[in-house]
Amino acid sequence: MGEGREFDVIVFGATGFTGRLVARYLARHARAGSWAIAGRSEEKLMELRADLAGESLEAGGLSMIQADVSDGGSLRALARRARVVCSTVGPYALYGEPVVEACIEEGADYCDLTGEMDWVAEMIERHHEAARHKGVRVVHSCGFDSVPSDLGVLLMQQEAIARWGRPAGQGKYYLWQARGGFSGGTIASAAETVERAAGDARVRARLSDPYALYPSGELPGPDGQPQDLVKYDREIGAWTGPFMMARVNEKVVRRSNALRGFEYGREFTYGEVVRMGPGVGGALGGWAMTLGLGGMVAGLAFRPGRWLLKRFVLPKPGEGPSEQVRKRGCFRTRVYGWKEVGLRGGERVEVEIGADQDPGYGATSLMLAESAMLLAEGREAVSGGLPRGGVLTPASALGETLIERLRSAGMIFRVL
């Protein structure tokens, strides 16, 4: 699919906060002439092209494409010109499906950075079979949600199989360290998800179902809901708290396991938490974070609360952390795998994933751009045995090859 296309990658939504970061990354790392920027406003596209000219001599001649999610013809024309459409236009529940449909119709692969799992479940239900039939790879969640989780578990299980001859029975992800900021687009997506859940029982059901992304007809495994309180974890000697993205990442990891032929085992259990630290300070920090997250979700669930948060607290769409904040940012995560189910003692493997950039924007733009470039290289560029099409995940679409690519780009993927 995608042979003879004008561009390897088209960044749709390139003038938004994250889209600009992805475009800047491509200006520094992609082959000149192999990619283009797309969006609704010609004026903003021209401003971005002028800005990118400082990153790369070739960027001054960067191709621009006008397209709008309300104009299906413009989206299909865009998809016909690309091997891969990389979309940063969210909230995806409002604006994402027309782009996915256009890519499937025109035979272009697709990737994004969504964390809206109810919408992803809808895309699987509506478009997986069509994408699979046409050999189009639709790859959601190619940023901090959910590449470190998805590829971290893959690396952990490969080490377990090499060491024990079988996959780990239980896995756990610890957000060990993180420093960065939020953008208005991320907040808008979170607010849209909470608002839709408040008014739609189907959305609430998808969000609360640990196996909402499982393939149709597969029986769910043993996992329940993510950790929602503060707990002491003897394995790491520290308190842990709920991870706000666990309800996203855990679902993605489970779908990867299924799409990779249950490489991790049908009874594999998995959860994600934040490491808070030892002692009273760790416990208090965990409870403060838990109550803060609960308060924000409660505020977003009601119209007056959403208005107050958006008006006085949260960044506006198009806004985000400064370049200085992004450069000071970093993250480290660890994924533990135990040979047997049960966390106290026993044999385990441990891997670390991280980057010396803020997770939500610096590292996310790197992960999304590298995913798009790898998709553009075609199926022959990734390890064999992976699905040839469908609504996929990073580990089931790009797998080990993406791990190596991200290592080469400066990220940490290592066995400890």
Side-chain angles (χ1 to χ4, degrees), residues 8-268:
D8 288 346
V9 177
I10 296 177
V11 182
F12 181 54
T15 61
F17 188 84
T18 305
R20 294 176 72 92
L21 297 179
V22 174
R24 181 171 289 117
Y25 187 91
L26 291 173
R28 294 171 177 172
H29 299 283
R31 179 173 54 84
S34 68
W35 64 287
I37 53 176
R40 184 174 55 185
S41 167
E42 181 180 18
E43 180 181 358
K44 290 183 179 180
L45 289 170
M46 292 179 68
E47 290 174 358
L48 174 59
R49 183 169 67 179
D51 180 54
L52 293 176
E55 303 288 341
S56 164
L57 292 175
E58 295 85 358
L62 183 63
S63 294
M64 306 183 308
I65 302 167
Q66 278 189 278
D68 193 307
V69 294
S70 64
D71 181 354
S74 71
L75 295 179
R76 289 190 295 274
L78 180 153
R80 280 195 295 271
R81 300 174 71 180
R83 289 177 176 268
V84 177
V85 174
C86 174
S87 177
T88 63
V89 179
Y92 292 92
L94 296 180
Y95 307 120
E97 186 169 15
V99 188
V100 172
E101 289 177 325
C103 288
I104 294 172
E105 288 178 19
E106 301 300 334
D109 287 338
Y110 166 96
C111 62
D112 66 28
L113 45 73
T114 187
E116 301 165 48
M117 289 300 100
D118 62 308
W119 178 73
V120 172
E122 288 183 0
M123 294 304 95
I124 293 168
E125 183 178 304
R126 296 176 185 172
H127 301 297
H128 175 73
E129 286 304 318
R132 187 180 64 82
H133 178 73
K134 293 198 70 171
V136 170
R137 294 173 293 176
V138 175
V139 191
H140 298 299
S141 307
C142 292
F144 186 62
D145 310 316
S146 301
V147 166
S149 304
D150 205 22
L151 297 186
V153 172
L154 175 60
L155 180 63
M156 180 274 288
Q157 289 289 23
Q158 290 179 331
E159 176 64 18
I161 292 169
R163 189 178 300 183
W164 303 324
R166 51 173 279 196
Q170 183 166 6
K172 195 167 186 179
Y173 166 112
Y174 299 91
L175 181 60
W176 210 261
Q177 177 188 7
R179 186 168 61 241
F182 292 97
S183 84
T186 297
I187 298 302
S189 290
E192 174 63 23
T193 298
V194 173
E195 184 171 0
R196 294 200 319 133
D200 191 330
R202 294 172 301 175
V203 173
R204 292 196 297 272
R206 287 185 176 121
L207 292 174
S208 63
D209 180 3
Y211 293 90
L213 306 189
Y214 242 35
S216 176
E218 290 291 349
L219 293 175
D223 278 321
Q225 297 301 316
Q227 179 177 316
D228 59 1
L229 297 174
V230 178
K231 296 182 180 179
Y232 187 76
D233 190 321
R234 290 181 174 82
E235 287 289 332
I236 63 169
W239 293 90
T240 62
F243 181 34
M244 65 181 297
M245 302 316 300
R247 292 180 186 273
V248 174
N249 300 330
E250 291 177 7
K251 292 178 174 66
V252 171
V253 167
R254 291 174 193 129
R255 180 164 179 81
S256 291
N257 184 29
L259 293 178
R260 291 180 65 97
F262 291 97
E263 185 177 336
Y264 314 156
R266 288 182 178 271
E267 298 302 310
F268 176 61

Side-chain angles (χ1 to χ4, degrees), residues 271-290:
E272 299 193 349
V273 296
V274 178
R275 175 187 177 273
M276 298 306 304
V280 174
L284 292 175
W287 282 113
M289 181 191 70
T290 302

